[in-house]
Amino acid sequence: MPSLSLTSNNSSVDPKKEKKMKKKIVLDTQETDPLMVSIKKEKKKEKRKAVEFDGDDEERSETSSELCEPVNLKKKSKKAKVVEEEEDGEEVKAEDPNAVTRFRISEPLREALKKRGIEALFPIQARTFEDILNGCDLVGRARTGQGKTLAFVLPILESLVNGPAKASRKTGYGRPPSVLVLLPTRELATQVFDDFRVYGGAVGLNSCCVYGGASYQPQELALKRGVDIVVGTPGRIKDHIEKGNIDLSLLKFRVLDESDEMLRMGFVEDVELILGKVEDVKKVQTLLFSATLPDWVKNISSRFLKPTKKTIDLVGNEKMKASTNVRHIVLPCSTAAMPQVIPDIISCYSSGGRTIIFTEKRESANELAGLLPGARALHGEIQQSKREVTLSGFRSGKFLTLVATNVAARGLDINDVQLIIQCEPPNDVEAYIHRSGRTGRAGNSGVAVMLYDPRRSNVSKIQRESGVKFEHITAPRAEDIAKAAGVGAAETITQVSDSVIPAFKSAAEDLLSTSGLSAVELLAKALAKATGYTEIKSRSLLTSMENHVTLLLESGKPIHTPSFAFSVMRRILPEDKVESVTGMSLTADGNGAVFDVKKEDVDTFLAAQENAAGVNIEVVKALPSLQERDRPRGRFGGGGRGRGGFGDRSGGNRFSGGRGGRGGGFSDRRNGSGGFKGRNNGNKW
Ligand SMILES: Nc1ncnc2c1ncn2[C@@H]1O[C@H](COP(=O)(O)OP(=O)(O)OP(=O)(O)O)[C@@H](O)[C@H]1O
């Protein structure tokens, strides 16, 4: 079980305090935190060569020594060992080889970093900084949440104000941009723009953000006035170039962030057109970053980047491609059970923080958001202005559950996302890596739960390709959820003013003297009531359906098909009971079949084995390994035989009294819901 957090989600927490606390946690966990460990490893690796994944050793050796020679950090080490006096008098030894002071980062930029709690560079930043500042084209790869954005923001800014790009940079009114950053989504563009705005602002550089779905006029105005950095999505940038609003003649840097996604999304032509507008490519530095770099992107990078490019790949051939700060969990769950199970997963694993739920299709996101109290949907079909409101509401803590398509899978950096839930395994491993990477960022930890239909999932493919060793769990047990809810309720009760005691005291005393229960037992009941729990129902291991039990059938010989299992049961059970079976799945060893039956039918099934020699039926205590089958196209998972969707079960509430607060009230909303609809065509978000 996860540890249950006592922290309440209080959006009014002083952000400064919150940052300080986080910093303390990071310091306290330095020895165990994989990121910190990796930072330490990086210190040792400092002088090692970057991994070259496209085997262009020859190209590397031809790298211009003037431009791409690594800077001798030793010169800085003396300064780095200086003991610095912090504002609050705390002494901090800047002996970390990745300390900001060890890099050619100017004072205003250092100050801006310090204000955001950044005193040392993360490995990807440390490993790429000097190369970028020295003028190299570069391909950078690091796991999600490891600071790839600042890995290009900082050296670019430094180059523009103090480095090689300074001399030829224009500064007056109407100046053309020096930097062009392309990103696949508007949300990401806004986020990266924000970093350029803050850090660029600190060194007197202007940025603007241009993306589709927003009005042209303010963008045109900003470009006309002159900016140093333009961040945006390829489509809108192309439009501005064609309208003559963006002049790339003095461009110094072009950055492709989340490059594989941008190219996968079909922006190849736009990107090529934009890059092709640069007349003298020798004068422009091109940087390409992502957590995932499929082979085809590596090939394509050779067209966009100079042959002397450097490649810094912090993932390389390591088996684990996904975030190492995340607990990766899989949980069998039918579509029909999701509205019941998801709130419980949130109760148990979100530690009171934010949760992002990923669905494959927009319809599913809308539907699930409608079923989960307080949740909002985010996908590509939602109007841009509404998307912005939704995202900023989620960021600010107005609501804590976001149900999104892959539009939110990439790059989004949202504070305190503790939990990721994927409603089904995605089709490709890159999507798994990026989605799960929305948590466990910047050295923090997180949990990623992937729901799957045990009969038709590609969990093992994702496990193999991502290197993740999944933890297998079953849906949270009612007792666990009640315990988690009880902790929260107990905390709330302690916050109730003492002034209420006199008014309720005599009723409490009466209850204590007449109920025959102890004070603790009564208080436990009161906590249950406060959290909306008046009865606890059990759940099946196979599909997580409430009031269902998973049974194992063995017939004394191999069971190769579900229909064989059904035929065995037809010999010993009435037809209506056989028809009520759901989730029929074959065990991986080929000797049995597991399925769900209603709780009240369990005895009938167990008794039936007496009617046939060699047949064994038993209640499953732990779900055995099951055979995986190809997932059918055109349908979202499915609960029982031929069934799918949220609304097609009449299974009652686990808690007869419903539940209050967060995670409550599904049963009412579920009525009349049309269930997940079939997949829409194409790969639209
Ligand atoms: N040196 C640093 N010290 C502390 N925090 C940092 C540092 N660099 C970046 N961060 C923070 O780490 C978080 C993750 O950074 P960023 O979004 O750039 O990650 P990423 O590697 O691009 O992730 P993804 O692959 O998911 O896009 C951000 O909140 C950022 O402010």
PDB file of all heavy atoms in Angstrom, residues 221-235:
ATOM      1  N   LEU A 221       1.451  42.566 -33.585  1.00  0.00           N
ATOM      2  CA  LEU A 221       1.921  43.790 -32.947  1.00  0.00           C
ATOM      3  C   LEU A 221       3.255  43.571 -32.243  1.00  0.00           C
ATOM      4  O   LEU A 221       4.202  44.349 -32.388  1.00  0.00           O
ATOM      5  CB  LEU A 221       0.862  44.252 -31.932  1.00  0.00           C
ATOM      6  CG  LEU A 221       0.691  45.752 -31.771  1.00  0.00           C
ATOM      7  CD1 LEU A 221       0.184  46.369 -33.065  1.00  0.00           C
ATOM      8  CD2 LEU A 221      -0.276  46.029 -30.624  1.00  0.00           C
ATOM      9  N   ALA A 222       3.320  42.470 -31.484  1.00  0.00           N
ATOM     10  CA  ALA A 222       4.543  42.163 -30.742  1.00  0.00           C
ATOM     11  C   ALA A 222       5.701  41.937 -31.704  1.00  0.00           C
ATOM     12  O   ALA A 222       6.819  42.422 -31.481  1.00  0.00           O
ATOM     13  CB  ALA A 222       4.325  40.920 -29.880  1.00  0.00           C
ATOM     14  N   LEU A 223       5.432  41.211 -32.784  1.00  0.00           N
ATOM     15  CA  LEU A 223       6.501  40.924 -33.749  1.00  0.00           C
ATOM     16  C   LEU A 223       6.973  42.203 -34.433  1.00  0.00           C
ATOM     17  O   LEU A 223       8.154  42.398 -34.691  1.00  0.00           O
ATOM     18  CB  LEU A 223       6.003  39.920 -34.798  1.00  0.00           C
ATOM     19  CG  LEU A 223       5.728  38.508 -34.265  1.00  0.00           C
ATOM     20  CD1 LEU A 223       4.923  37.682 -35.271  1.00  0.00           C
ATOM     21  CD2 LEU A 223       7.030  37.792 -33.927  1.00  0.00           C
ATOM     22  N   LYS A 224       6.022  43.090 -34.690  1.00  0.00           N
ATOM     23  CA  LYS A 224       6.354  44.349 -35.350  1.00  0.00           C
ATOM     24  C   LYS A 224       7.252  45.223 -34.472  1.00  0.00           C
ATOM     25  O   LYS A 224       8.217  45.827 -34.941  1.00  0.00           O
ATOM     26  CB  LYS A 224       5.052  45.097 -35.657  1.00  0.00           C
ATOM     27  CG  LYS A 224       5.170  46.005 -36.830  1.00  0.00           C
ATOM     28  CD  LYS A 224       3.824  46.505 -37.238  1.00  0.00           C
ATOM     29  CE  LYS A 224       4.038  47.470 -38.389  1.00  0.00           C
ATOM     30  NZ  LYS A 224       2.833  47.913 -38.964  1.00  0.00           N
ATOM     31  N   ARG A 225       6.901  45.245 -33.188  1.00  0.00           N
ATOM     32  CA  ARG A 225       7.698  46.049 -32.246  1.00  0.00           C
ATOM     33  C   ARG A 225       9.132  45.543 -32.161  1.00  0.00           C
ATOM     34  O   ARG A 225      10.063  46.256 -31.861  1.00  0.00           O
ATOM     35  CB  ARG A 225       7.063  45.982 -30.855  1.00  0.00           C
ATOM     36  CG  ARG A 225       6.295  47.234 -30.523  1.00  0.00           C
ATOM     37  CD  ARG A 225       5.927  47.260 -29.060  1.00  0.00           C
ATOM     38  NE  ARG A 225       4.508  47.046 -28.903  1.00  0.00           N
ATOM     39  CZ  ARG A 225       3.956  46.059 -28.227  1.00  0.00           C
ATOM     40  NH1 ARG A 225       4.692  45.178 -27.607  1.00  0.00           N
ATOM     41  NH2 ARG A 225       2.656  45.954 -28.129  1.00  0.00           N
ATOM     42  N   GLY A 226       9.259  44.253 -32.405  1.00  0.00           N
ATOM     43  CA  GLY A 226      10.592  43.647 -32.333  1.00  0.00           C
ATOM     44  C   GLY A 226      10.745  42.786 -31.098  1.00  0.00           C
ATOM     45  O   GLY A 226      10.456  43.239 -29.990  1.00  0.00           O
ATOM     46  N   VAL A 227      11.155  41.560 -31.300  1.00  0.00           N
ATOM     47  CA  VAL A 227      11.382  40.642 -30.163  1.00  0.00           C
ATOM     48  C   VAL A 227      12.691  39.902 -30.390  1.00  0.00           C
ATOM     49  O   VAL A 227      13.182  39.795 -31.512  1.00  0.00           O
ATOM     50  CB  VAL A 227      10.260  39.581 -30.022  1.00  0.00           C
ATOM     51  CG1 VAL A 227       9.000  40.151 -29.458  1.00  0.00           C
ATOM     52  CG2 VAL A 227      10.012  38.851 -31.313  1.00  0.00           C
ATOM     53  N   ASP A 228      13.224  39.384 -29.295  1.00  0.00           N
ATOM     54  CA  ASP A 228      14.463  38.604 -29.400  1.00  0.00           C
ATOM     55  C   ASP A 228      14.160  37.125 -29.563  1.00  0.00           C
ATOM     56  O   ASP A 228      14.890  36.411 -30.240  1.00  0.00           O
ATOM     57  CB  ASP A 228      15.308  38.832 -28.129  1.00  0.00           C
ATOM     58  CG  ASP A 228      15.595  40.299 -27.945  1.00  0.00           C
ATOM     59  OD1 ASP A 228      16.303  40.856 -28.794  1.00  0.00           O
ATOM     60  OD2 ASP A 228      15.071  40.908 -26.977  1.00  0.00           O
ATOM     61  N   ILE A 229      13.083  36.691 -28.923  1.00  0.00           N
ATOM     62  CA  ILE A 229      12.790  35.252 -28.932  1.00  0.00           C
ATOM     63  C   ILE A 229      11.337  35.021 -29.338  1.00  0.00           C
ATOM     64  O   ILE A 229      10.421  35.624 -28.763  1.00  0.00           O
ATOM     65  CB  ILE A 229      13.018  34.662 -27.521  1.00  0.00           C
ATOM     66  CG1 ILE A 229      14.493  34.824 -27.131  1.00  0.00           C
ATOM     67  CG2 ILE A 229      12.616  33.173 -27.464  1.00  0.00           C
ATOM     68  CD1 ILE A 229      14.718  35.317 -25.752  1.00  0.00           C
ATOM     69  N   VAL A 230      11.129  34.152 -30.320  1.00  0.00           N
ATOM     70  CA  VAL A 230       9.767  33.777 -30.705  1.00  0.00           C
ATOM     71  C   VAL A 230       9.580  32.295 -30.388  1.00  0.00           C
ATOM     72  O   VAL A 230      10.362  31.445 -30.810  1.00  0.00           O
ATOM     73  CB  VAL A 230       9.514  34.005 -32.211  1.00  0.00           C
ATOM     74  CG1 VAL A 230       8.127  33.492 -32.611  1.00  0.00           C
ATOM     75  CG2 VAL A 230       9.641  35.479 -32.556  1.00  0.00           C
ATOM     76  N   VAL A 231       8.531  32.015 -29.600  1.00  0.00           N
ATOM     77  CA  VAL A 231       8.211  30.627 -29.240  1.00  0.00           C
ATOM     78  C   VAL A 231       6.843  30.327 -29.830  1.00  0.00           C
ATOM     79  O   VAL A 231       5.932  31.152 -29.729  1.00  0.00           O
ATOM     80  CB  VAL A 231       8.134  30.479 -27.701  1.00  0.00           C
ATOM     81  CG1 VAL A 231       7.861  29.023 -27.326  1.00  0.00           C
ATOM     82  CG2 VAL A 231       9.409  30.960 -27.036  1.00  0.00           C
ATOM     83  N   GLY A 232       6.666  29.161 -30.439  1.00  0.00           N
ATOM     84  CA  GLY A 232       5.331  28.893 -30.968  1.00  0.00           C
ATOM     85  C   GLY A 232       5.175  27.529 -31.603  1.00  0.00           C
ATOM     86  O   GLY A 232       6.099  26.707 -31.606  1.00  0.00           O
ATOM     87  N   THR A 233       3.984  27.320 -32.139  1.00  0.00           N
ATOM     88  CA  THR A 233       3.692  26.057 -32.827  1.00  0.00           C
ATOM     89  C   THR A 233       3.948  26.253 -34.328  1.00  0.00           C
ATOM     90  O   THR A 233       3.779  27.365 -34.854  1.00  0.00           O
ATOM     91  CB  THR A 233       2.228  25.637 -32.579  1.00  0.00           C
ATOM     92  OG1 THR A 233       1.382  26.752 -32.855  1.00  0.00           O
ATOM     93  CG2 THR A 233       2.019  25.200 -31.142  1.00  0.00           C
ATOM     94  N   PRO A 234       4.340  25.182 -35.014  1.00  0.00           N
ATOM     95  CA  PRO A 234       4.785  25.345 -36.412  1.00  0.00           C
ATOM     96  C   PRO A 234       3.756  25.996 -37.331  1.00  0.00           C
ATOM     97  O   PRO A 234       4.120  26.856 -38.143  1.00  0.00           O
ATOM     98  CB  PRO A 234       5.071  23.902 -36.845  1.00  0.00           C
ATOM     99  CG  PRO A 234       5.362  23.164 -35.597  1.00  0.00           C
ATOM    100  CD  PRO A 234       4.518  23.801 -34.530  1.00  0.00           C
ATOM    101  N   GLY A 235       2.479  25.613 -37.218  1.00  0.00           N
ATOM    102  CA  GLY A 235       1.461  26.136 -38.133  1.00  0.00           C
ATOM    103  C   GLY A 235       1.388  27.646 -38.087  1.00  0.00           C
ATOM    104  O   GLY A 235       1.449  28.329 -39.122  1.00  0.00           O
TER     105      GLY A 235
END
